[in-house]
Amino acid sequence: QVQLVESGGGLVQPGGSLRLSCAASGSIFSIYAMAWYRQAPGKEREMVAVITSGGSTNYADSVLGRFTISRDNAKNTVYLQMNSLKPEDTAVYYCNAGRVVAGTSSDYWGQGTQVTVSS
């Protein structure tokens, strides 16, 4: 019932910046939180940043101070501003939405966008 489309990934040198976007559509009115996850080759998928419907944010320690999650409610879009990128940030980044209807929780995922940090 919720569709998520990520964009903004690409190749960047260490120390560079990228801004990822996640556009949501469908039954989005009951989404309580949006998040960015990432998965590097051979590693588990990990949470990068979360933003709630009330605007509270949370970050993984590895990106704290470098990444910023934000939202534009008018555009139904969540962003991830990534600064001071490191090779360790190389991964496929996925947008996630949590939705609760009548006490039942549902997770929705985008297709992912590749971020490569390399010189």
Side-chain angles (χ1 to χ4, degrees):
Q1 299 298 316
V2 176
Q3 294 80 44
L4 305 172
V5 179
E6 303 99 331
S7 62
L11 175 64
V12 64
Q13 292 187 345
S17 298
L18 285 173
R19 190 189 194 195
L20 306 183
S21 299
C22 174
S25 62
S27 301
I28 64 174
F29 304 105
S30 57
I31 293 176
Y32 67 88
M34 300 282 290
W36 287 97
Y37 285 72
R38 68 185 181 186
Q39 187 166 25
K43 295 186 177 181
E44 299 281 333
R45 186 174 297 187
E46 64 173 344
M47 188 276 293
V48 176
V50 179
I51 186 166
T52 70
S53 59
S56 298
T57 59
N58 195 21
Y59 298 91
D61 289 342
S62 59
V63 307
L64 189 64
R66 300 188 297 120
F67 291 11
T68 302
I69 188 170
S70 62
R71 66 184 185 186
D72 186 334
N73 290 333
K75 297 180 179 179
N76 296 321
T77 301
V78 176
Y79 305 94
L80 185 67
Q81 178 67 47
M82 305 185 294
N83 298 325
S84 302
L85 284 162
K86 305 175 181 179
E88 308 91 89
D89 297 317
T90 296
V92 177
Y93 284 70
Y94 297 92
C95 184
N96 168 267
R99 182 171 179 259
V100 178
V101 179
T104 300
S105 298
S106 299
D107 269 337
Y108 300 89
W109 295 90
Q111 295 296 310
T113 184
Q114 177 71 47
V115 172
T116 302
V117 185
S118 176
S119 59

